[in-house]
Every structure is written in structure tokens, then in C-alpha cells.
Amino acid sequence: MADLKNLKGISEADKKLLAEAEEWLGAEPAKMGPVKNLFWGKIKEDFYFPYPKVEAREQAECDQLLAKLDEYLRNEHPAILIDQEQEIPRWVIDRLFSLGALGMTIPKEYGGLGMGITSYNRVLELIGSYCGSTAVMVSAHQSIGCKAVMLYGTAEQKKQWLPHLAKDWLSAFCLSEPNVGCDAGGQETYFVKDGDYYVIHGEKKWATSGALSGLFTVMAREKREDGKGKISALVCHPDMPGVEIYQKNRSKCGIRGTWQARIRFHGVRVHKDHLLGQEGRGLQVALSCLNYGRCTLSAGMLGGARRARDQATKWATTRFQFGAPLASKELVRKRIAHMAALDYAMDSVLYMTTGMLDRKDDDIQVETALCKVFCSEMGWRVVNDALQIMGGESYMTENEVERIFRDSRINLIVEGANEVMQSYIFGYGGKQLAEQMLGVKNALMKDPEESLGAFIAKAIKNGLNPRIMKIAIPLGLEVFFGVRRPLPTITKVSPSLRPYADRLSALTRELSYQFKVMSKRYDVKMLDRQAVQARMADVAMYLHAWGCTLAKLDADLKSHGSNGAADLEFQRDKIAAMHFFDIAEVEIHTRFRELYENADETMLAAADAALKLIEQTPPDAFVIPERSPTAQRGKGRVPKQEGIKQFPGTPTVKEHAGTR
């Protein structure tokens, strides 16, 4: 298989980016996950069918926890107060610890409930339906904060820290920095070695619950003279000398009750027994934790979207205009159906993904990224539909849809901005297929720098190689003559759902064909054509969501049996799923058409013109990123703070004690 870094014409910057990505992600798993298979035009049924189920005993335990938690959230939880006062009271955190919600995935031997990822996400979904701020706090603690200890901690580390994390310590994940957002590999926080200690210097930003936590997982790069230092994951505590929480939080649009700390490390000495996992493997620790965080973000979004769906649907039946309920109007009914369809599909994708995590599938990074993109985008659309149905009342603070709207918007940004995730789904999802295509091209096509004689010799040699030609002939028929490969088959679906399975098969084959055609058309330029990448990623996303929804609907049909007609909730969900298939197919055909009919060229020209104008505008009229590498750094407008609630941090930094 060829290496994409060896593409002719690839820039040095792109080579470096690809090399760094390969280092972060590690070796390709031997068994490709379901989304990668879609790029190859394959549907691996065993990933989807049967739809994942939780073991009965754990299901019952989780149901009991959900009942207790729902009673608390419905009767005691101060969701409006948390949003208005921009703080989750300590008594709320203590109550969630006592209920077990903040330690439910920690093993029982360390004081947790020992539940799986699916059960955990059911809890996050419930919390998200009442309070987005609290859902984020719980998610940040368990999915990324203490998850690193659970996954990579030694026996001694787990014994030392997990009982606290299950009962009384919140935890924080210190990855983002002033100059580091989606570019996790660009860490500027660094450490130097001093005997048995790592000495950390730097600054972290957006550390959720950092000012409330007893434990931080800090990503820092080793400072070396050769500039090749790698990133490690180090555990710190807030009382360590040199730790400065200089800003506990900043006032924001949504999830206002969560606190995102800014933390500085002034020569913090961390003993080697606080290293998580292997030295230099910190990004792998971070990426592994993000797999879980992307699911719980999706669960909180699903909970909020469902609450908004139900509220708006009820509103449509009880709000009258022009002598009739809103629900009698076709455009309102369109939004009601849209909400129902997207909610069912979100549920299907989320719990398919958590099922993969629970069964420890080898290759799930694309799937967790896709889950985040799909649920955040579709959830946002659902909430937007709800606002439109409810009209002006939806904007009123006492009607919780307004809060859900503000809390939801951040989900399209955090845990990897959706635009970055689209490129990731395309790039990593199609990487192995692209490398196979490159290998065939290198074996049989003439390189511009290759002499005619060398090309003829190469072509004769490789043209007689049956292994190469077995791949090259069908590939050539597709790319040059438009001859599609045979349809993938789905055999495990109920007979009544066969038409939907057949439509999925046809669209999956078309994704693989269009991927190959676009790869040939753009060649090395594909690395820069993010609009094209996003269209292909969206197709893969809708196809995977289709597969998840089909599998869930198949399971629901079998579980309801002959009693389904009397179950109105099941009937709603069944028809909503069928509506989703239609929505998805329309979206997929739109993306395919946009590969050929689009406004990309004028878009790029318009962007260039806008950028040239803004470059000439004085920077003092605008807020400029605090660590901008441009000459405009430090010359921007200072945002006014009058009337904005402030969250100052610790005023001093302790002197170094020099001991553990």
C-alpha cells in the first residue's frame, strides 16, 4: 500500500501534517470499522446487526439510577438558577456524587458503580434534558477528566485517585491552550526532566471544572534541544506549588453554569509516578479520552433536543392562530416530522457508538467523531425547529427551550469543530482506499519525472503482476468508464425493511465510486479542497446514520411484535425512522450533485476579496486572538468588561517545596 505523504506535488506542510496525524493516531487497525468500509463500498453487517443491547442486570441497575436521578432533577435541581447565576452549587455536585452519577463508570472496587458506556450515556441524556450545564460538568469529569486514569493508570495510581474521583473530587482535562484548539498536537505547554521529576511550564485554557477539581490531566511536550520532544500526559493537583488558577471561569452565551478555568504552570514539579501511560504518548491518551467525550456530548445534546421536540410538539397542538392549531399547518407539521426523524436517528447513532465502545471494537475513532458531528448538527436543527414552532414565547427565559438553544450551540464547536471533523472523517475514513489507489497509480501510470524507458519497463512488469491487476482492472473500469462494482448486500434485516436496506446499498456503492472519481479529478489538490471533503464526509455520515437507524428500527420491530400497532410511541418512532431515510437520501443526492454543480470558485474568490479588504482595516476595531502569530497581535480592541460577571482566580502562586 502506498503512502499518501509520497504524493507528487504535496507540500512540505501537508507532509508534516500527515506524518503528525499518523503519529497521533497510531498504526491502522487490522480490522476496519464500519465507516471506513463505507468508503470501500462495503456494508459490514456485523457492525450494525443486531443493534447493541445492554446486559439485563446492568440495564436494571441503570433504570434504578435513572429513576432516582429523574426525581432529583425534576423536583430539586436548580437549572434556571444555575444558568442565571452562572455557577453549579457545591451541594448539587455533592448530590450527584451521592447518587452515583459522577462515579458510575468507575469500577466498583474503587467506589464507583462499574457501569458501561451505554448506561453512562443514558444518564447524560437524562441530565441533558434538564440542564445542559450539569451535563457538561458530569461529562467532562468522567469522559475526559478521570477517564485517562481509568484507561492508562497503573494499579497504584488507580488505587490512589479513583476512590476520590468516584466520591468527592471533580477532575479536569487540560489540553486546550491560547494557541491550541482543534490542533491538539500544537502543545506549547512544556516540561523539562529533572531527575525523577517533570517540571511543567505553560498555560491551559477551557479546562472545564478546573477551579473545582482535585485532579488535572495535563498534556505537555518535552522541551528538547533538537525540537523533537513528544507530548506526555501528567497528573497534577491544584495544591502543587506553582499551579496558578488565574481565572476560574468566563461569562458566556450557553452552558453558563459550567466553569472553564485558565491555569498557569510555573515550574510545577511532578514526580514520575504521576505519568499516565507511556512517556511521549500523551496525544494517544487524549484521543482515546475524546472518543468517550464525543459520545457524552452527543447524549447531552440528544436529551436537550428531545425535551425541545416534545415541548414544541405539544405547543403546536395547543397554540391557535387563524382559528386553528399550529399543528394543522403543513409547514409546522414539516418541522414536527423533522424533529421526530432526527431525534430517532440521533438516538440510533449514539447508542450504536456506545455499543461499539462497550464491546471494545478495534477501530472506532471515525465513528465517535461522526457521532459527535451528527448529533450536534442534527440536535441543533431540532432545537431550531422547536424555537420556530413556539415563536416569541420560545425566546422567553422561563420557557426552557431558550436555554436549550443557547446550551446547544457550543456542541458544534467543542470536542473538535464540526468542520475539522468533516475533514477528519473524509481523510481518515478514506485513507486506506486512497493509499491503495495511489499504489495502483504508482505501479501503472507514468510519473512526470520518469523516463519513457523506465515507465515502459515498470508498466510491463506490474501489468503482468496478477495481484496488482486484480485491483487495477475494476478500479480503472470505475474511474475511467463509470462501471460501478456490485452492490453490497444486507441480509440480516427484517423483510419489511428490505426496500430501505436496498436503497442504503445503492447509495453506499455510489459513495465509493464518487470518492474514487473525485480523488482522480483533484489528485494532490484534494488535500486543500475542504468543501469537497465535507460533501463526501456528509454522505458517509448520512449512510452510517442510515445503517444505525435501520438496525435500531429492525430491533424495535422485533421487540414490539404484534403489539406495535397499539403503541403510539413506537408508531411515531417507526414512521419517524422511515422519514429519516427519505431525508438522508435527499441530503446524499444533494451532496453528490454539489460535487459537480457548486459555487466553490466564486466562493473562493469572494473570500479572497473579503480577506484583502479586512487586512487593510485597522486592528483596533476588532478583537484579535491573544496569541496571534501575526503583526496585529496585541493591537486589537480590548473587550469591555463592564456589566460582565467576573471570576478571578487565585491571587498568588505558592513557592516550590521541592518535594512530592
Side-chain angles (χ1 to χ4, degrees):
M1 190 175 289
D3 191 331
L4 289 178
K5 297 191 297 297
N6 296 329
L7 267 170
K8 294 293 181 181
I10 190 173
S11 68
E12 289 302 317
D14 283 336
K15 279 186 181 180
K16 182 181 178 182
L17 186 62
L18 287 169
E20 288 178 347
E22 288 175 355
E23 180 184 347
W24 303 341
L25 296 169
E28 291 278 5
K31 186 177 181 181
M32 291 191 298
V35 176
K36 289 181 181 178
N37 271 283
L38 293 175
F39 280 96
W40 288 79
K42 301 174 182 177
I43 299 172
K44 293 295 185 181
E45 290 186 278
D46 290 346
F47 285 116
Y48 296 104
F49 297 93
Y51 194 78
K53 291 177 61 177
V54 175
E55 182 264 332
R57 182 174 179 179
E58 180 175 322
Q59 175 91 17
E61 292 177 355
C62 186
D63 287 345
Q64 292 177 1
L65 174 60
L66 287 168
K68 294 177 184 176
L69 190 59
D70 185 62
E71 182 178 0
Y72 158 72
L73 291 167
R74 187 175 62 254
N75 298 319
E76 299 179 57
H77 188 71
I80 294 176
L81 200 65
I82 285 171
D83 179 67
Q84 293 294 305
E85 297 193 355
Q86 304 182 56
E87 181 176 358
I88 298 174
R90 182 68 213 191
W91 72 262
V92 170
I93 297 171
D94 291 339
R95 179 67 62 86
L96 292 171
F97 269 121
S98 67
L99 287 168
L102 282 165
M104 63 176 302
T105 62
I106 294 174
K108 292 181 179 179
E109 60 262 37
Y110 301 113
L113 300 183
M115 292 188 184
I117 305 305
T118 297
S119 297
Y120 170 41
N121 278 267
R122 290 180 65 203
V123 166
L124 260 295
E125 180 191 338
L126 177 63
I127 296 174
S129 71
Y130 283 96
C131 181
S133 292
T134 304
V136 170
M137 185 266 290
V138 174
S139 171
H141 169 62
Q142 287 195 86
S143 299
I144 54 178
C146 63
K147 196 66 181 181
V149 178
M150 294 171 60
L151 292 174
Y152 294 96
T154 64
E156 182 58 34
Q157 288 172 336
K158 292 178 181 178
K159 182 179 178 182
Q160 181 179 359
W161 296 324
L162 287 182
H164 282 295
L165 295 172
K167 296 297 182 183
D168 55 9
W169 282 1
L170 287 178
S171 57
F173 194 71
C174 298
L175 177 65
S176 297
E177 301 180 3
N179 251 358
V180 175
C182 293
D183 181 14
Q187 298 290 310
E188 295 178 354
T189 296
Y190 69 89
F191 66 85
V192 292
K193 294 182 183 178
D194 181 13
D196 287 341
Y197 288 84
Y198 301 96
V199 184
I200 306 175
H201 297 265
E203 180 179 333
K204 294 294 180 179
K205 191 177 184 181
W206 312 128
T208 297
S209 301
L212 308 171
S213 296
L215 179 149
F216 311 143
T217 302
V218 181
M219 300 297 150
R221 184 185 300 277
E222 182 182 4
K223 187 176 183 179
R224 291 174 38 172
E225 291 184 2
D226 61 7
K228 295 183 178 179
K230 295 184 177 181
I231 296 168
S232 295
L234 302 166
V235 167
C236 296
H237 303 291
D239 59 353
M240 285 181 166
V243 173
E244 179 192 10
I245 301 174
Y246 78 95
Q247 196 171 27
K248 295 179 181 178
N249 185 32
R250 289 166 69 190
S251 187
K252 51 192 172 289
C253 169
I255 56 167
R256 288 160 61 86
T258 60
W259 280 16
Q260 284 74 38
R262 302 190 72 171
I263 306 173
R264 288 176 179 149
F265 299 88
H266 303 272
V268 179
R269 295 174 63 81
V270 179
H271 194 267
K272 65 181 182 181
D273 62 11
H274 279 47
L275 171 71
L276 281 179
Q278 298 178 10
E279 190 175 288
R281 302 287 289 175
L283 277 179
Q284 285 73 19
V285 174
L287 291 172
S288 296
C289 292
L290 287 174
N291 285 332
Y292 298 88
R294 286 169 179 156
C295 286
T296 47
L297 177 152
S298 301
M301 180 74 257
L302 175 60
R306 281 189 158 156
R307 178 60 62 95
R309 173 201 66 188
D310 291 345
Q311 172 60 63
T313 304
K314 176 61 77 173
W315 188 271
T317 66
T318 54
R319 167 69 166 165
F320 278 59
Q321 289 288 275
F322 306 106
L326 295 181
S328 67
K329 308 302 181 184
E330 186 170 285
L331 289 179
V332 174
R333 294 167 70 87
K334 179 181 179 182
R335 291 187 184 275
I336 292 170
H338 192 240
M339 291 190 297
L342 296 189
D343 272 337
Y344 189 84
M346 288 166 63
D347 184 289
S348 303
V349 171
L350 170 61
Y351 291 112
M352 177 67 77
T353 311
T354 62
M356 293 175 181
L357 286 166
D358 276 331
R359 69 192 185 205
K360 297 179 171 56
D361 284 8
D362 293 331
D363 190 19
I364 43 80
Q365 288 186 338
V366 177
E367 287 69 28
T368 57
L370 187 152
C371 179
K372 183 267 175 182
V373 175
F374 185 80
C375 290
S376 63
E377 177 62 38
M378 302 306 146
W380 173 249
R381 294 182 190 182
V382 169
V383 176
N384 190 60
D385 283 337
L387 253 78
Q388 193 67 20
I389 291 172
M390 291 183 65
E393 281 294 334
S394 71
Y395 238 54
M396 299 300 104
T397 300
E398 71 246 31
N399 293 325
E400 59 192 342
V401 173
E402 174 267 347
R403 188 176 73 250
I404 297 171
F405 180 76
R406 288 187 289 104
D407 289 346
S408 298
R409 186 58 182 85
I410 192 64
N411 292 327
L412 283 74
I413 300 170
V414 294
E415 305 282 6
N418 283 5
E419 291 82 0
V420 175
M421 292 294 96
Q422 284 174 311
S423 289
Y424 173 72
I425 292 165
F426 170 85
Y428 195 50
K431 179 175 180 286
Q432 288 164 298
L433 176 56
E435 287 178 336
Q436 186 191 79
M437 293 178 65
L438 179 60
V440 171
K441 177 184 176 183
N442 291 342
L444 298 174
M445 304 294 285
K446 187 178 184 301
D447 189 289
E449 300 174 2
E450 196 173 31
S451 70
L452 180 61
F455 163 64
I456 293 173
K458 176 186 76 174
I460 292 173
K461 175 185 175 183
N462 292 329
L464 296 174
N465 185 323
R467 183 180 62 84
I468 294 175
M469 296 311 294
K470 183 179 180 181
I471 299 170
I473 290 173
L475 180 60
L477 288 171
E478 275 194 277
V479 172
F480 293 103
F481 299 101
V483 179
R484 275 68 162 176
R485 295 193 179 195
L487 286 170
T489 57
I490 300 176
T491 62
K492 298 182 178 181
V493 72
S494 299
S496 64
L497 299 179
R498 167 58 48 200
Y500 303 103
D502 292 343
R503 287 162 62 188
L504 174 60
S505 295
L507 293 167
T508 299
R509 178 174 68 175
E510 191 66 14
L511 167 64
S512 187
Y513 169 73
Q514 295 294 347
F515 179 90
K516 294 162 188 168
V517 170
M518 291 298 115
S519 296
K520 175 183 177 295
R521 170 188 283 190
Y522 291 103
D523 198 39
V524 68
K525 293 180 181 178
M526 180 65 92
L527 294 173
D528 296 321
R529 297 307 302 264
Q530 289 188 321
V532 180
Q533 295 175 19
R535 292 175 188 123
M536 303 295 287
D538 284 351
V539 172
M541 178 181 72
Y542 277 109
L543 291 175
H544 179 63
W546 189 316
C548 296
T549 304
L550 186 66
K552 178 173 172 56
L553 180 58
D554 182 71
D556 286 350
L557 284 169
K558 291 172 180 174
S559 65
H560 282 78
S562 59
N563 297 324
D567 188 333
L568 293 180
E569 182 178 359
F570 168 68
Q571 288 299 317
R572 179 202 62 187
D573 289 345
K574 181 179 73 171
I575 298 171
M578 294 173 179
H579 183 43
F580 173 72
F581 298 143
D582 286 349
I583 291 172
E585 186 160 17
V586 169
E587 294 281 359
I588 289 167
H589 282 307
T590 298
R591 300 303 187 279
F592 284 149
R593 185 178 66 254
E594 288 174 346
L595 293 173
Y596 301 91
E597 300 174 14
N598 56 65
D600 289 357
E601 298 310 312
T602 51
M603 174 271 291
L604 293 170
D608 286 342
L611 291 167
K612 286 178 182 177
L613 173 61
I614 206 70
E615 282 295 321
Q616 303 304 312
T617 308
D620 59 6
F622 306 96
V623 177
I624 304 295
E626 61 186 297
R627 297 288 178 86
S628 172
T630 70
Q632 298 188 25
R633 176 175 174 176
K635 298 179 181 179
R637 174 176 63 83
V638 177
K640 294 181 179 180
Q641 298 296 323
E642 293 87 348
I644 298 176
K645 185 174 180 178
Q646 300 298 308
F647 300 83
T650 52
T652 59
V653 182
K654 297 178 183 178
E655 294 296 325
H656 298 299
T659 59
R660 290 174 60 185

